[in-house]
Amino acid sequence: MPARIPVILNPAARSTHAAAREKVLRALTPEPELVVTESPGQATEIAEKLAREGHTLIVAAGGDGTMNEVLQGICRVNAERAPGEKHTALGVLPLGTMNVFSLELGLPSQDIAACWAQISSGRLKEVDLWMANDQYFVQLAGVGFDAEIIQETTWESKKRFGPLSYVMSAMQVLTRKPPVLTVTVEGRPAMHGSVVLIGAGKHYGGPVAVFPKACNQDGLLDVLVFRGLGGWEFAQMLRGILEGGYEPAEDLDYVQLREFTVTADPEAPLEVDGELAGFGTPVVFKPAPFKMQVAG
């Protein structure tokens, strides 16, 4: 019999419906090999172990943070494989508060059985894989403002308020003086601002296409720089979203880049795929040396 597909489940992502969600996953056809994490970061260790054992597909069941933990483990092993050697692919079952990457992939997030049918079908697509220093990501990243929001948003808050918890954290962060962020690109003038949002795909934090021009197969990151941090910048962002583009915008820079560096004064946190990934700059954003195979 073929090996069962391993599914790494983050219980925290399931809120108060832990037992019911686990029962649903165990009832899927074909039956998965369910592995439940017990602590933060463990999904990375489990994914790395499974990839080294030769599994060709590993599925993350949770939110974008769980997905990124699993991604780190898979990529550690894929990075060591010889040219031409088969890589381990990533699958995503969206069970978290925010499921941006599954939305980008067009998965039926409200129907886990339908998601599983797509994931277990054997169909794979190749998407761009990126690095922020030594951290891998496939959907989004940010330095400063949005990373601070993630830092402020507790699991208890997400469980109680859902996506609104991020809005509540944002209101707290907006009361603080933002850092000065500098985006440096070889051969271009430096860009300065208070917020730097980075997208490998169109979606950032929800169903709204914050990066209208983005494509996760074009070898480019879409970078949105807020020169200030006020209502006028957010109003221009909303206009850009509604009009499908940010030009011309007086207080925003919207560029597509392959490689660049972000520095902050004072230092600021980094997030990748909605997961805190460190504190301090510079952060060098660049393509990973290989692409990522994704199921579905």
Side-chain angles (χ1 to χ4, degrees):
M1 293 181 63
R4 290 186 293 166
I5 299 171
V7 174
I8 300 174
L9 176 65
N10 173 14
R14 299 173 298 165
S15 186
T16 57
H17 305 292
R21 286 292 176 86
E22 189 168 327
K23 184 177 180 181
V24 167
L25 293 180
R26 292 190 185 280
L28 292 172
T29 303
E31 183 184 356
E33 176 190 342
L34 194 60
V35 185
V36 182
T37 63
E38 297 177 352
S39 59
Q42 191 182 24
T44 296
E45 300 170 12
I46 294 169
E48 183 175 356
K49 178 176 181 292
L50 290 168
R52 292 194 187 283
E53 290 173 355
H55 286 276
T56 57
L57 171 63
I58 299 171
V59 178
D64 292 302
T66 304
M67 179 277 293
N68 188 267
E69 283 192 26
V70 172
L71 178 76
Q72 302 304 321
I74 291 173
C75 289
R76 287 177 188 175
V77 180
N78 285 346
E80 298 172 2
R81 289 181 166 146
E85 188 178 352
K86 187 173 180 61
H87 280 205
T88 299
L90 169 71
V92 182
L93 279 173
L95 300 178
T97 305
M98 308 294 284
N99 302 289
V100 183
F101 188 52
S102 66
L103 179 68
E104 193 74 35
L105 295 176
L107 291 171
S109 299
Q110 301 305 312
D111 188 336
I112 296 303
C115 274
W116 182 246
Q118 287 189 215
I119 290 167
S120 60
S121 69
R123 294 190 302 271
L124 298 175
K125 68 179 292 188
E126 188 175 81
V127 300
D128 294 331
L129 179 66
W130 298 94
M131 301 192 75
N133 289 346
D134 61 350
Q135 297 291 308
Y136 296 95
F137 69 100
V138 288
Q139 182 63 32
L140 56 91
V143 180
F145 178 69
D146 61 329
E148 287 186 54
I149 292 172
I150 291 166
Q151 194 172 38
E152 291 284 341
T153 307
T154 64
W155 179 77
E156 290 78 12
S157 177
K158 287 190 283 186
K159 185 173 83 168
R160 184 175 180 185
F161 300 109
L164 182 61
S165 60
Y166 291 99
V167 178
M168 296 164 64
S169 296
M171 298 308 293
Q172 289 183 309
V173 174
L174 281 168
T175 64
R176 305 170 190 162
K177 183 179 179 180
V180 176
L181 303 176
T182 301
V183 179
T184 307
V185 188
E186 187 176 354
R188 295 191 184 198
M191 291 175 284
H192 304 281
S194 298
V195 178
V196 177
L197 304 182
I198 300 153
K202 296 181 185 301
H203 298 95
Y204 197 108
V208 178
V210 172
F211 301 102
K213 296 180 179 179
C215 172
N216 59 15
Q217 295 175 308
D218 65 358
L220 295 170
L221 286 171
D222 287 46
V223 183
L224 185 58
V225 181
F226 286 52
R227 295 178 200 153
L229 185 55
W232 182 237
E233 285 81 8
F234 284 100
Q236 288 182 79
M237 183 178 76
L238 179 59
R239 186 186 70 179
I241 291 169
L242 294 174
E243 295 180 355
Y246 290 96
E247 293 90 9
E250 295 177 9
D251 297 289
L252 302 176
D253 289 303
Y254 182 85
V255 291
Q256 293 180 304
L257 304 171
R258 181 171 172 82
E259 186 168 338
F260 58 96
T261 300
V262 178
T263 55
D265 183 22
E267 295 294 8
L270 163 72
E271 63 90 1
V272 293
D273 291 331
E275 185 82 350
L276 282 174
F279 191 90
T281 60
V283 181
V284 177
F285 292 90
K286 64 182 180 180
F290 51 91
K291 303 287 186 178
M292 192 71 212
Q293 297 287 327
V294 180

